[in-house]
Amino acid sequence: MGIISPAERLLAAADLHEPVETGLLTVDLSAIAANWRKVAGLAGGAECGAVVKADGYGLGQAAVMRALAGVGCKTFFVANLLEGETARALAPDAAIYVLDGVVPGCAPRLAAADLRPCIGSFAELEEWAAAGATLGRKLAAALHFDTGMHRLGFPPRAAGEVAARAHGIAPTLVMSHFLSSQLPDDPVNARQIGDFLAVRAHFPGIAGSIANSSGVFLPQKPHFDLVRPGYALYGGNPTPGVANPMRAAARLSARIVSTRDLGPGDTVGYDGVWKAPRPSRVATIGAGYADGLPVSATAAPGKPAGEAVVGGVRCPFIGRVSMDYIVLDVTDAPKVAAERGQWVELLGETIDVEELALRARTIGYEVLTRLGRRYARRYVG
């Protein structure tokens, strides 16, 4: 028998299922599927699609689309051509809409991947019709109308002209986008619904869609023919101000890489923004803003700091959130849970995406979509 080196002994003893990364993102695909079913049930007779842009809101476009297709989703929305090409490879038979519309020069690739651009200008309309003429067929597309976002889309007053000039394409959807659907009492919602109804009158027989996640929950039930939830599918709250009706889909943990004891007056992190008010024990975790944790979660006068759960105890971020590390005050946490190598919760059963966003003075959408690629990822359910 040969001599076994110390390195070989360590490798033999290692748990190969334990992530070597210092951050772990666990995505619950069954929760995403359940959230889609819930929204589909609320939509009545309308079809329920899914917005899977930004890498499935940061949780992985491929895994998310497979899970949604598995429960019956047949229509997907992405932001741009590249996301659309990826979606087409994942869902060969699905209807896939590209929210960017027809970016100059992209028409041939959009058509080759059988993607449906959301057209919001006459220039796009002409380019898409020309691409179809080259191919000898009319190409499918959505017609996007701007009822208040002032971002993308035809003005509602142009609906008649759009209808007259759309003869060179095959419209499959007329759509708009709410700007305040998360505020059910905002009168702008009713005004947008009225404008959209007026637009739709110019396109008989073509499906209509205006409801995003929060729009599905509006009292007017503006579901029309297709709803297109995004944030709610991934566990975000589509009804701010009341309990979240959706299941959490993401859990984020980070590993403690270092601990130390501080005396009163010792500072932590860049610029010494935190000073120990008492003898303190602190722990450094291997995650930072390069991993999508907002630097704005740093503690500051007048705002709450981000927190992690260590052995069941909430422990605040102290010092600045830096690129690769966050320091926690673990003085009050169980010592056994606050040792090097232990895992702490940043997002999960105790701290949901809405709370993390609130403590960082941002929105849950940003928290999810910025989740970094350095995490080990595990898909469950």
Side-chain angles (χ1 to χ4, degrees):
M1 179 181 290
I3 298 174
I4 300 176
S5 70
E8 290 172 322
R9 284 196 295 272
L10 282 172
L11 183 60
D15 179 357
L16 298 183
H17 297 288
E18 183 75 4
V20 296
E21 293 85 351
T22 52
L24 173 62
L25 176 65
T26 302
V27 179
D28 187 345
L29 297 174
S30 66
I32 293 173
N35 289 339
W36 184 85
R37 288 194 195 97
K38 184 178 187 68
V39 175
L42 292 171
E47 179 187 354
C48 187
V51 182
V52 295
K53 61 184 180 177
D55 193 31
Y57 279 58
L59 302 187
Q61 183 181 357
V64 164
M65 284 189 64
R66 291 190 185 105
L68 291 171
V71 291
C73 185
K74 298 177 181 179
T75 301
F76 297 94
F77 290 80
V78 297
N80 56 41
L81 169 64
L82 295 178
E83 290 182 348
E85 290 175 331
T86 299
R88 174 56 68 215
L90 293 164
D93 301 321
I96 299 171
Y97 289 92
V98 178
L99 295 168
D100 275 359
V102 183
V103 173
C106 287
R109 284 176 62 176
L110 287 165
D114 191 22
L115 302 175
R116 301 179 184 184
C118 299
I119 291 174
S121 70
F122 288 111
E124 293 174 78
L125 186 60
E126 292 171 4
E127 188 167 347
W128 196 233
T134 299
L135 295 170
R137 57 189 172 89
K138 293 183 178 182
L139 299 175
L143 295 172
H144 187 177
F145 286 86
D146 174 20
T147 56
M149 284 286 284
H150 297 138
R151 188 173 64 176
L152 298 171
F154 295 101
R157 66 179 180 276
E161 184 180 0
V162 174
R165 294 174 60 176
H167 57 82
I169 70 169
T172 54
L173 186 69
V174 177
M175 62 178 286
S176 189
H177 191 61
F178 281 118
L179 64 100
S180 295
S181 56
Q182 74 278 11
L183 304 173
D185 297 327
D186 193 326
V188 75
N189 295 319
R191 197 268 299 159
Q192 284 190 271
I193 292 169
D195 287 349
F196 187 61
L197 285 167
V199 165
R200 287 203 71 208
H202 293 273
F203 301 93
I206 298 176
S209 176
I210 191 174
N212 55 0
S213 290
S214 294
V216 172
F217 290 81
L218 284 175
Q220 297 95 332
K221 301 186 184 300
H223 302 148
F224 294 99
D225 303 291
L226 171 71
V227 299
R228 47 182 206 273
Y231 187 51
L233 301 181
Y234 310 103
N237 189 354
T239 56
V242 300
N244 189 351
M246 316 312 296
R247 281 177 53 183
R251 300 193 302 274
L252 180 61
S253 302
R255 180 172 271 172
I256 296 174
V257 296
S258 174
T259 62
R260 65 199 60 231
D261 294 307
L262 303 182
D266 288 343
T267 62
V268 167
Y270 290 112
D271 303 323
V273 296
W274 184 84
K275 183 181 293 185
R278 57 175 178 170
S280 303
R281 185 162 182 79
V282 302
T284 301
I285 59 173
Y289 62 73
D291 305 289
L293 294 168
V295 70
S296 52
T298 298
K303 70 171 287 291
E307 290 182 335
V309 179
V310 183
V313 175
R314 286 173 172 262
C315 297
F317 296 1
I318 55 177
R320 292 196 191 282
V321 173
S322 58
M323 183 180 292
D324 309 300
Y325 307 108
I326 295 171
V327 183
L328 310 174
D329 182 353
V330 296
T331 308
D332 298 324
K335 191 171 187 303
V336 67
E339 295 290 349
R340 173 178 170 269
Q342 295 296 317
W343 292 91
V344 306
E345 175 196 308
L346 293 164
L347 188 64
E349 293 181 3
T350 305
I351 301 172
D352 66 13
V353 66
E354 309 296 338
E355 181 183 348
L356 178 54
L358 178 65
R359 290 179 173 275
R361 287 185 171 171
T362 183
I363 57 176
Y365 295 76
E366 182 180 16
V367 169
L368 287 176
T369 58
R370 290 184 61 195
L371 291 172
R373 304 305 304 179
R374 297 196 296 184
Y375 298 122
R377 291 187 173 222
R378 287 182 178 171
Y379 291 92
V380 300

